Amino acid sequence: MVPVLTYPALLAAPIDIGREQARREAAAELLRSEYAKESLVDRVMRAVNQFLGDLLDQESVGVVGSVAARIVLAMIVVAAVVAVVMIAHRTVRGGTTRKEGIFGDRRRTAAEHRETAERLAAEGRWAEAVRERLRALARDLEDRVIVDSTPGRTADELAAEAGRALPEFAAELAAAARVFDDVTYGEVPGTAEAYGVLRDLDERLRTARPTLGAMTGTVSS
């Protein structure tokens, strides 16, 4: 007769879960919705704690092995903390970076911006020279009523509006806006070549005239 395993017997029976099965169950637990709300720092630290627990949970580790393990653990913890701090710093910077208007607080004429740009270029301060040259270009377009005088306008917005009025320059204006954003927000170093492109575009735009169709389309939009 086959013995029947009663409910009390089930309670008394030991539960033997292998390490691999435990890992799978832990992974399934992490898929629950409450874990989705964890921050990056929390997830990294929890993973480090799990790794440390697995490393220390070795019955065969002797005294020498235990000391070596603790040294390795300390190095891992330090590396993890440094990595978390760096990632958090980049995340904060990336989340708070916001494009500002292309002009400063004080209103300057196009001629003043050009003069400042040339002086900065002569000093090899290319990023600042690029910014001033685009400001000169923008102010000139405003003074000639090719674009509206809009406070806080970004380089991209300037390029889009001016490109509609001067479609033959649209691609160059968009490229100039990217150069301005790169040296202003992207930490890309300015170069003499980049400044030369902005200066050439500024000079050609000074004599450019919008076509009637482009101006009509701008007004209607």
Side-chain angles (χ1 to χ4, degrees):
M1 181 176 181
V2 179
V4 178
L5 189 60
T6 62
Y7 182 70
L10 284 174
L11 291 178
I15 300 176
D16 185 13
I17 299 178
R19 181 179 296 274
E20 187 61 31
Q21 182 180 350
R23 290 183 186 277
R24 288 197 297 269
E25 292 181 358
E29 178 71 12
L30 293 179
L31 294 177
R32 295 170 55 184
S33 59
E34 54 264 32
Y35 286 105
K37 300 179 181 179
E38 282 189 316
S39 67
L40 176 62
V41 175
D42 291 337
R43 291 198 300 271
V44 172
M45 294 310 299
R46 181 164 46 74
V48 170
N49 289 333
Q50 178 66 41
F51 177 76
L52 296 181
D54 291 343
L55 188 60
L56 289 175
D57 187 23
Q58 300 291 336
E59 296 180 358
S60 61
V61 176
V63 176
V64 176
S66 178
V67 173
R70 292 179 185 277
I71 294 175
V72 172
L73 294 181
M75 295 174 63
I76 292 174
V77 170
V78 172
V81 171
V82 172
V84 169
V85 171
M86 292 180 64
I87 293 173
H89 178 67
R90 291 178 181 176
T91 301
V92 170
R93 289 186 60 186
T96 57
T97 298
R98 183 173 62 89
K99 293 182 180 180
E100 304 289 346
I102 61 178
F103 296 110
D105 296 333
R106 184 171 74 87
R107 181 177 178 87
R108 297 181 179 180
T109 66
E112 288 174 330
H113 282 299
R114 290 189 183 102
E115 181 181 354
T116 302
E118 288 295 290
R119 175 177 55 80
L120 292 169
E123 297 173 0
R125 298 161 61 180
W126 300 114
E128 296 170 83
V130 164
R131 286 192 286 268
E132 284 299 314
R133 199 73 195 201
L134 186 73
R135 289 165 183 159
L137 179 156
R139 190 65 77 195
D140 187 74
L141 291 175
E142 289 181 354
D143 292 342
R144 294 160 55 204
V145 201
I146 294 178
V147 299
D148 293 332
S149 181
T150 304
R153 174 194 281 122
T154 66
D156 290 334
E157 292 168 344
L158 169 73
E161 185 176 350
R164 289 191 294 269
L166 302 166
E168 68 273 25
F169 290 96
E172 293 179 84
L173 285 162
R178 285 194 298 271
V179 172
F180 179 90
D181 287 343
D182 286 344
V183 302
T184 304
Y185 309 108
E187 299 181 357
V188 176
T191 63
E193 291 75 16
Y195 178 72
V197 170
L198 266 292
R199 179 172 54 190
D200 176 68
L201 178 60
D202 179 31
E203 293 298 328
R204 288 186 290 116
L205 283 173
R206 294 175 70 177
T207 58
R209 295 291 183 272
T211 61
L212 180 61
M215 289 299 293
T216 303
T218 302
V219 172
S220 62
S221 60

